[in-house]
Every structure is written in structure tokens, then in C-alpha cells.
Amino acid sequence: MSAAGKDPRRREAERFAERHARTVLARTGVRVALPDAPAGVDLEGPDLVARVDHEHRPVEREAVEQLHAAAGTRAAAFYSRSGYTKTAVLWADEHRVSLFGYTDDGYAAPFNQTARELVLRGQNESEHRVRSAAERVARHATAARLEAERFEREAHAAVLRAEQEEREAAERQRVERERDETVLGRTMALLLEMHVDPHTLPTTVQRLAGSTALTTLADGAHRLSPADRPAALALVRSMFDDAAAVLEVLTPAEGRDSPGYRAARSTIRRGLDSVDAASGVHSSGHIAPDDVADHLRAAERRWRMVVDELVRLQPWATRLSSVPEPRLARHLVQP
């Protein structure tokens, strides 16, 4: 019979049975059967078929047998408003057909043990599905919260890194500015000395090239007391500053873009960085003697490279036209 030709009360009973099968029995794939469904089948799903009887007399065994045959390997459930005959119940128990009774005002209950077991399985399946879904939601919520926390930590760490990098860049600029000012002062002082004594430049180069102070300090770093260390490192820093001043004087204007000049400036800068590391700049806590020795040995290697470049450039000292001869006092000038 088509849906249009059915009794409205029967259609409502089928909808009620469908909701019961889907919610109580946990057979969520059950739907009201299509018009081409087998005879005696009102509800159909992948794992359950059911029949709804809305008559005013108990269901006979033949109707239960017909539903069982139509179900095949699927579970079979019968819904009756008027109950079942004794033979129908006995046959249903023997062939595992679930019998349910229902009322017009929306109540349903199992009529045999098979139906009660089907309800229990549905409750267990519903509980399992609900718990599993709740656990998945909880896991997803936890994962989302952890991911959000991770993003927040990473964003916070990125901000801290950016701030730290900004502070380090500002500190590097401050250090470079102070070093440039120191070199400028040493360069001016060296030029003034060259006005008085033309031999000041080669003498300074010879003094720097022959100095063993840095080697001695590197070898004896373990014997330096914390009180003596600042003065020793200040001496090394002063030597690098003198070397930078000599480099500026020895390098002509056209040689400031040469690879040798840039490499020498970079080597001096790295040497001063090693001295700063040996003195504990940018570090917290005590600097071990072994670490001081390692930093001083690194500074010594860079010092040798700088001195070699100064010695190579020294021939320019005899051709520096910007340095005038010293003037004699008037009373010493011969007429």
C-alpha cells in the first residue's frame, strides 16, 4: 500500500516505531520502508527489519513467520498495539524475533526476552557510542587547547626573541659606536704624535708586532686571579684599539674598500668580541679560567692576523703625504 493510501494513524505508528528503533534499539539506519519493500515489512535498515501492526486484535503466528522470512540474516522486530497470541510469542522466542507492544499515547515495551535483549544491546551500543563520542570531543578539545597553548607559547617566545634580538642589536650598535669612538680618538692621538715624530708610526707597528703580552696572558690565564683579570683584559683591549688606529692611518683612502682592509677590521672586531667574552660581557655568573684561556687564545690568533696585515701595510708609512714634517723652533732655524 502506498504512503498516500495508508491510515494516518498507521503512518504515525510507523513513525513512532522508527523513532523507537533508532533511539532505543540504536539502529540508526532504520527508515520507514519504501513502497517496493517485501510484504509485511514496514521498517527497514541494514541490520533490522520491523513490522508495525495497528489492528485491534492480537498478532498471529503467521505474521511473525512472514516477518522472520523477510528479515533473512537481519534482526526482526514486531510492533503491535494489541499484543500477540501465545503461539506467536512461543514461535518468536524460538526463532529470535523481538516482540514489542506500544500504545497510542507513545509508550513502548518489550513483550519477550529477545526484545528485552535487543533493548539491552541498544542501550549498551548507545552508551558505547555516546562515551566514544564524548571522549573524542574531549580529546579534540584537549588537543585544540594544547595546540592553542602551544601557539600562544610560540607567539610569546617569538615576541621575547624579537625583543631580545632588538636589545642585542641595540647593544651591538652601542658597542660598535663606542669602539669607533675609541678608534677615532686613538687615531687622532697617533696623528698628533706623528706631527711631532715622523717615526711614531713604524715604531708603533714594530711595538705591536713584537708584543708578547697576549700570548703570555693566554698561557697564564689559569693563574690570573679575578682581581687581576680586568686589568689584563683592559691591556689586551687597548692593544686591539691601537692596532685599529694604526690600520686607519696605514690604509689610504682608496684602500678602504679593499678586501684586506675589511678583513682586518672584521678580525679586530672579532678579537674584541673574544676579549669581551673573556671578561664575561653578555654572560651571567663566573667565567671559568679554562673559558678565559680559550677566549684569549682565540683573541691571540686574531691578533696575529691583524699584526701581519699591519706589517704588510707598513711601507705606506714612508709615503703618507698627509703627515707633515715636524717644525723646528724659530731660534733653532739657521739664517
Side-chain angles (χ1 to χ4, degrees), residues 124-137:
N124 292 336
E125 178 67 16
S126 296
E127 181 179 0
H128 172 71
R129 294 295 182 90
V130 170
R131 288 185 181 274
S132 298
E135 290 174 358
R136 285 196 300 272
V137 170

Side-chain angles (χ1 to χ4, degrees), residues 91-303:
W91 196 94
D93 287 341
E94 182 180 355
H95 295 86
R96 306 292 299 172
V97 177
S98 300
L99 303 180
F100 292 93
Y102 71 93
T103 64
D104 291 336
D105 50 358
Y107 292 94
F111 256 60
N112 64 349
Q113 183 61 29
T114 303
R116 283 188 284 271
E117 292 175 358
L118 190 62
V119 171
L120 181 60
R121 286 198 301 272
Q123 291 174 344
N124 292 336
E125 178 67 16
S126 296
E127 181 179 0
H128 172 71
R129 294 295 182 90
V130 170
R131 288 185 181 274
S132 298
E135 290 174 358
R136 285 196 300 272
V137 170
R139 285 196 299 271
H140 291 162
T142 300
R145 177 177 57 80
L146 293 177
E147 188 71 5
E149 291 176 354
R150 183 179 67 83
F151 282 139
E152 184 178 356
R153 288 195 301 271
E154 290 179 354
H156 183 62
V159 171
L160 293 179
R161 284 195 301 271
E163 293 177 352
Q164 180 65 22
E165 291 173 357
E166 185 177 354
R167 287 193 296 269
E168 291 175 354
E171 178 63 15
R172 285 195 299 270
Q173 292 177 355
R174 184 191 66 79
V175 170
E176 290 297 326
R177 185 168 58 251
E178 290 183 355
R179 289 176 180 176
D180 291 342
E181 292 174 355
T182 301
V183 171
L184 177 61
R186 295 291 180 95
T187 303
M188 296 300 297
L190 181 59
L191 289 174
L192 289 175
E193 292 179 9
M194 291 170 60
H195 276 280
V196 178
D197 184 2
H199 301 291
T200 296
L201 185 59
T203 301
T204 303
V205 173
Q206 183 178 3
R207 174 176 60 81
L208 296 175
S211 175
T212 60
L214 190 50
T215 303
T216 302
L217 287 174
D219 294 339
H222 295 83
R223 297 187 295 273
L224 279 176
S225 67
D228 295 334
R229 190 181 299 170
L233 295 178
L235 173 62
V236 176
R237 192 176 288 106
S238 177
M239 292 169 56
F240 273 103
D241 291 337
D242 287 341
V246 172
L247 177 68
E248 295 299 317
V249 175
L250 286 176
T251 305
E254 62 272 15
R256 299 297 168 88
D257 293 330
S258 65
Y261 173 79
R262 292 197 298 268
R265 285 291 303 271
S266 177
T267 302
I268 292 173
R269 185 164 52 251
R270 291 198 299 272
L272 289 171
D273 290 340
S274 297
V275 177
D276 288 342
S279 63
V281 176
H282 308 309
S283 64
S284 58
H286 175 69
I287 306 299
D290 289 341
D291 294 333
V292 174
D294 291 341
H295 293 311
L296 287 178
R297 278 191 283 271
E300 181 190 12
R301 291 192 298 270
R302 286 152 184 160
W303 173 255

Side-chain angles (χ1 to χ4, degrees), residues 11-30:
R11 289 201 301 270
E12 181 62 27
E14 290 176 353
R15 295 298 183 190
F16 168 76
E18 179 189 34
R19 293 193 298 271
H20 182 271
R22 290 169 59 84
T23 58
V24 177
L25 305 183
R27 305 303 173 107
T28 56
V30 170

